[in-house]
Amino acid sequence: MHLEDLQTPCLVLDRRILERNLARMSERMHRLGVSLRPHLKTAKSAEVARMAVAGESGGITVSTLAEAEYFADHGFRDILVAASQPPQKLDRASALLDRGVDLALITDDTDAARAIAAHRGRFKVLIELDSGDRRAGVRAEGDVLLEIARILGDRFAGVMTHAGHSYGCRDIECVRQVAANERATVVSAAERLSSNGIACGGVSVGSTPTMTHADNLDGVTEARPGVYMFQDLFQAEIGSCSRDDIAVTVLASVIGRNELENRFLLDAGALALSKDRSTQATPHDAGYGEVWDTECKPAYGDCRIERAYQEHGVAVSDSPIDFRRIAVGTKVRVAPNHACITAAAYDRYYVVDGGTEIIAEWDRVNGW
Amino acid sequence: MHLEDLQTPCLVLDRRILERNLARMSERMHRLGVSLRPHLKTAKSAEVARMAVAGESGGITVSTLAEAEYFADHGFRDILVAASQPPQKLDRASALLDRGVDLALITDDTDAARAIAAHRGRFKVLIELDSGDRRAGVRAEGDVLLEIARILGDRFAGVMTHAGHSYGCRDIECVRQVAANERATVVSAAERLSSNGIACGGVSVGSTPTMTHADNLDGVTEARPGVYMFQDLFQAEIGSCSRDDIAVTVLASVIGRNELENRFLLDAGALALSKDRSTQATPHDAGYGEVWDTECKPAYGDCRIERAYQEHGVAVSDSPIDFRRIAVGTKVRVAPNHACITAAAYDRYYVVDGGTEIIAEWDRVNGW
């Protein structure tokens, strides 16, 4: 099987690039003395997870209970659900404990902590801290941190944060500063707990930009980056990787041409690419994705998807497109703005190994 | 079963509102003398399709071959695929002909028309016209229209257009003008074909805004609106409906609160809501969706999702949020910006009938 034989749109994963991305992050985390607990929210694949934990402790991070259940089905036994869950989901989560999974939850709320403490399921719980993202998390210096730890009692297992605001950086110095704050937040929270007689087992951080550029993780026990496995145009734009490191692309077919207006039409639109526009705020706005040829070369100039309708993507370029290379049926690969969001439209990967031959099909878990 | 019993996030469909939306469009199309061929790209559900074709000829419109196959499996026999397909998919499409489906394709390209004409599958084919959207379609006054019709020979079955640029309107007068141009484009193309000795069977138009406001469809044979079934915040903003007409919402749970910063966190983020930001360009920017209570009342002021992370939605309001009504675990319903894109994340609808009790579960088809 070859890329040319596939029905479009579909998701293509390059194992060679994936392996290189995984090795780079593993080496970096070892050098900084922290354990890597890869976040599988991007890949959502047991095959990828097995590669990502090779040489690590085997623990993984997920973002939904559906992912936790899928990875448990595939033999994973040390799982952190790194998004707060409503109390109504504790029964479902505790079914994983009953199956022998060492399941950790997170919380930043006293009521949620009381619900967890009162539940029969003996979860491990990390307290989420806000290191500047203003999404979730308590303050490292506030009273709520200590209050939640006391409510959790012997279920309290550590502190964690996610420096999502590193995505707002546009240079590496900014990312390094965010990484330093991320570390300082969890380490100072752990020290406060310790000085109040509460032992803090895990001290967990993670985002791909901060883990790519942090130069000191002293006091941190584990890191949870995720998108580093696949990378994407946005990560390339903010300096986490180069375009050559993007492992996942959408295979699409040309379904129309308009030479007069220097554009062509793909059968990959908003559902196939997502409506993520994260590169809009970066130096090279890629629209809804960059259009490469099947060998991942930018063979059509600076071609990008300017408009995304439900099933149509309008490809344009600032320079004249060579329409001798664009016929109806021509296949192209579209590099995604944000791999996590684009990949979620697909139930499988068609895996290549640096070329255009399909060497495997790997499944994915979606939904909740 | 009740909304409170569901795992979040999930998709809720109100049958009472759906029926009202369907009846309104059917009546309107009958009054204007055209046949309604509802577009199922939004609903992607056999249950919804059966309701939508009640009292009509039974023909439907779809956007992918996966939809065509799904609806064929559910007994539909008159299907128009209203997005051009690459030649590599003709074998797959012709398998539907072999199953007795009256399948129509569209094209705007001479090479694609040649591939269809040379294929063993005896497809009906409509020629796509550009009525101003600049997405796809030939010009009504150009030579290519006649050339494609001649290539198609006896497979040529009519002309069609989609006035997607009606989404750019911000008042009803603008939509009426787009609708008039949409009609004029296909009718003039049909007349040109006819005066060149080529009989034009179908004259097909359609978009929810234009079909909601068109006051004359003389010469048109069928209409293909789709999102009118569910409606959404964007359609409400551009005058296709009111907020009371929105039939589909995402049920979500509160997973965190921040009273100090007047925001709370939902377990519905970019994957559950989509990253569609179509209301950004309208008078009331709803962020990634409006937050209503479980009875669809805007009980939290002008509460909306300001930031959408992969699995987190940050709900904010310009006025103080009543946190006595917001606990971890509180369920809310989020009205979508764009129903077609949001619904695509889900494999089923939990159906209510004006209340909060679940009266049915209906499946959906996704993917390609």
Side-chain angles (χ1 to χ4, degrees):
Chain A
M1 278 258 286
H2 188 272
L3 290 184
E4 290 296 336
D5 305 318
L6 298 177
Q7 295 277 310
T8 53
C10 64
L11 197 60
V12 178
L13 175 59
D14 191 317
R15 188 175 66 178
R16 191 175 301 178
I17 300 174
L18 169 66
E19 282 174 341
R20 196 174 65 207
N21 292 343
L22 295 175
R24 190 186 293 133
M25 185 62 82
S26 280
E27 283 160 22
R28 192 156 213 288
M29 293 302 98
H30 292 179
R31 205 161 60 235
L32 289 168
V34 301
S35 159
L36 178 59
R37 180 186 285 277
H39 204 318
L40 272 307
K41 78 189 183 84
T42 310
K44 298 197 183 212
S45 151
E47 291 286 347
V48 175
R50 281 185 206 109
M51 292 167 67
V53 299
E56 307 295 333
S57 67
I60 61 170
T61 311
V62 301
S63 61
T64 67
L65 289 186
E67 288 168 44
E69 289 158 349
Y70 164 87
F71 286 109
D73 290 344
H74 286 81
F76 290 84
R77 286 291 170 271
D78 177 4
I79 303 176
L80 167 64
V81 185
S84 288
Q85 300 298 312
Q88 292 85 342
K89 284 192 178 170
L90 292 177
D91 285 348
R92 181 175 164 196
S94 72
L96 287 167
L97 296 174
D98 298 341
R99 290 170 59 187
V101 175
D102 183 7
L103 191 77
L105 303 177
I106 69 168
T107 189
D108 66 353
D109 185 278
T110 50
D111 288 348
R114 279 186 202 99
I116 295 170
H119 196 274
R120 68 169 183 84
R122 300 204 59 79
F123 304 101
K124 281 188 192 170
V125 189
L126 303 185
I127 299 178
E128 184 169 17
L129 292 152
D130 185 358
S131 52
D133 193 26
R134 297 182 58 249
R135 175 175 90 182
V138 301
R139 292 186 306 130
E141 64 276 19
D143 293 336
V144 186
L145 170 67
L146 299 174
E147 189 183 354
I148 295 177
R150 287 184 183 120
I151 292 168
L152 291 172
D154 62 2
R155 302 188 192 194
F156 172 69
V159 291
M160 60 83 73
T161 193
H162 165 65
H165 55 307
S166 59
Y167 284 44
C169 290
R170 293 295 173 269
D171 62 69
I172 289 166
E173 205 34 63
C174 169
V175 177
R176 287 219 173 93
Q177 188 56 54
V178 171
N181 291 343
E182 184 181 30
R183 185 193 81 85
T185 300
V186 284
V187 169
S188 72
E191 286 168 356
R192 271 192 72 217
L193 287 158
S194 175
S195 68
N196 279 272
I198 302 167
C200 194
V203 181
S204 176
V205 299
S207 81
T208 287
T210 55
M211 293 307 96
T212 301
H213 297 299
D215 44 22
N216 171 15
L217 291 177
D218 291 353
V220 169
T221 62
E222 69 174 22
R224 312 180 320 277
V227 73
Y228 74 97
M229 301 177 193
F230 292 174
Q231 303 289 11
D232 54 33
L233 292 171
F234 180 75
Q235 293 299 330
E237 285 292 304
I238 67 171
S240 302
C241 66
S242 76
R243 276 165 166 69
D244 292 343
D245 298 320
I246 298 175
V248 70
T249 49
V250 172
L251 187 75
S253 297
V254 174
I255 56 168
R257 294 169 298 190
N258 191 320
E259 290 196 39
L260 201 66
E261 300 196 19
N262 200 48
R263 57 179 159 84
F264 57 94
L265 203 58
L266 295 177
D267 63 355
L271 295 189
L273 302 172
S274 94
K275 294 211 76 168
D276 190 282
R277 287 285 289 111
S278 45
T279 60
Q280 189 168 27
T282 66
H284 301 95
D285 182 351
Y288 295 90
E290 279 186 14
V291 181
W292 298 343
D293 69 11
T294 50
E295 294 181 336
C296 286
K297 295 193 175 65
Y300 309 107
D302 66 339
C303 195
R304 61 196 183 276
I305 307 295
E306 187 182 56
R307 287 179 279 155
Y309 299 82
Q310 183 164 343
E311 298 293 351
H312 297 80
V314 178
V316 304
S317 173
D318 293 331
S319 48
I321 293 166
D322 181 358
F323 278 93
R324 292 169 304 183
R325 300 199 52 194
I326 300 286
V328 287
T330 298
K331 285 195 168 69
V332 300
R333 285 163 82 172
V334 183
N337 276 335
H338 189 165
C340 316
I341 310 299
T342 298
Y346 300 89
D347 62 3
R348 77 195 63 193
Y349 299 99
Y350 292 96
V351 184
V352 297
D353 194 32
T356 58
E357 196 192 338
I358 311 301
I359 58 163
E361 275 185 48
W362 293 347
D363 72 343
R364 281 177 50 91
V365 60
N366 287 311
W368 299 272
Chain B
M1 278 260 285
H2 188 273
L3 289 185
E4 289 297 336
D5 304 318
L6 297 177
Q7 294 276 311
T8 53
C10 63
L11 197 60
V12 178
L13 174 60
D14 192 317
R15 187 174 66 178
R16 191 174 300 179
I17 301 174
L18 169 66
E19 282 173 340
R20 197 173 65 206
N21 293 343
L22 295 175
R24 190 186 293 133
M25 186 60 81
S26 281
E27 284 160 21
R28 191 155 215 288
M29 293 302 97
H30 292 177
R31 205 160 61 236
L32 289 168
V34 301
S35 164
L36 178 60
R37 179 186 287 277
H39 204 318
L40 272 307
K41 76 188 183 86
T42 310
K44 298 196 182 210
S45 149
E47 292 285 349
V48 175
R50 282 185 204 109
M51 293 167 66
V53 299
E56 306 295 333
S57 66
I60 61 170
T61 311
V62 300
S63 62
T64 66
L65 289 185
E67 288 169 44
E69 289 158 349
Y70 164 87
F71 286 109
D73 290 344
H74 287 81
F76 290 84
R77 286 291 171 270
D78 177 3
I79 303 177
L80 167 64
V81 184
S84 288
Q85 301 297 312
Q88 292 84 342
K89 284 191 180 171
L90 292 177
D91 285 347
R92 181 174 163 197
S94 73
L96 288 166
L97 297 174
D98 298 341
R99 290 171 58 187
V101 175
D102 184 7
L103 191 77
L105 303 178
I106 69 168
T107 189
D108 66 353
D109 185 278
T110 50
D111 288 346
R114 280 187 201 99
I116 296 170
H119 196 273
R120 68 168 183 84
R122 300 205 58 79
F123 304 102
K124 282 190 194 169
V125 188
L126 304 184
I127 298 177
E128 184 169 16
L129 291 151
D130 184 0
S131 52
D133 193 25
R134 299 180 60 247
R135 174 174 90 182
V138 300
R139 292 186 308 129
E141 64 277 17
D143 293 335
V144 186
L145 170 67
L146 300 174
E147 189 183 353
I148 294 177
R150 289 186 182 118
I151 292 168
L152 291 171
D154 62 1
R155 303 188 192 194
F156 172 69
V159 291
M160 61 83 73
T161 193
H162 166 65
H165 55 308
S166 59
Y167 283 45
C169 290
R170 293 296 173 269
D171 63 69
I172 290 166
E173 206 34 63
C174 169
V175 176
R176 287 218 173 93
Q177 190 55 53
V178 171
N181 292 344
E182 183 181 30
R183 184 192 82 83
T185 300
V186 283
V187 169
S188 71
E191 286 168 357
R192 272 193 73 218
L193 287 158
S194 175
S195 68
N196 281 274
I198 302 168
C200 193
V203 181
S204 176
V205 299
S207 82
T208 286
T210 55
M211 294 306 96
T212 301
H213 297 300
D215 42 23
N216 173 13
L217 290 177
D218 291 353
V220 168
T221 62
E222 70 174 22
R224 313 180 320 276
V227 74
Y228 75 97
M229 302 178 192
F230 291 174
Q231 303 289 12
D232 53 33
L233 292 171
F234 180 76
Q235 294 299 328
E237 285 292 303
I238 66 169
S240 302
C241 67
S242 76
R243 276 167 167 66
D244 292 343
D245 298 320
I246 298 175
V248 70
T249 49
V250 171
L251 187 73
S253 297
V254 174
I255 55 168
R257 294 169 297 191
N258 190 321
E259 290 198 38
L260 201 66
E261 301 194 18
N262 199 50
R263 58 180 159 84
F264 57 94
L265 203 57
L266 295 177
D267 62 356
L271 295 189
L273 302 171
S274 92
K275 294 211 75 167
D276 190 282
R277 287 284 290 112
S278 44
T279 60
Q280 189 169 27
T282 67
H284 301 95
D285 182 350
Y288 295 90
E290 278 186 15
V291 182
W292 298 344
D293 70 11
T294 51
E295 294 180 337
C296 285
K297 295 193 175 66
Y300 310 107
D302 65 340
C303 195
R304 62 195 182 277
I305 308 295
E306 188 182 56
R307 286 178 280 156
Y309 299 81
Q310 182 162 343
E311 298 293 351
H312 297 80
V314 178
V316 304
S317 173
D318 294 331
S319 49
I321 294 166
D322 181 359
F323 278 93
R324 291 168 305 183
R325 300 198 53 195
I326 299 285
V328 287
T330 298
K331 285 195 168 66
V332 299
R333 284 163 82 172
V334 183
N337 277 336
H338 190 165
C340 316
I341 311 298
T342 298
Y346 300 89
D347 63 2
R348 76 195 65 194
Y349 299 100
Y350 292 96
V351 184
V352 297
D353 194 33
T356 57
E357 196 192 338
I358 311 302
I359 59 163
E361 276 185 47
W362 293 347
D363 72 343
R364 279 177 51 90
V365 59
N366 287 311
W368 300 271

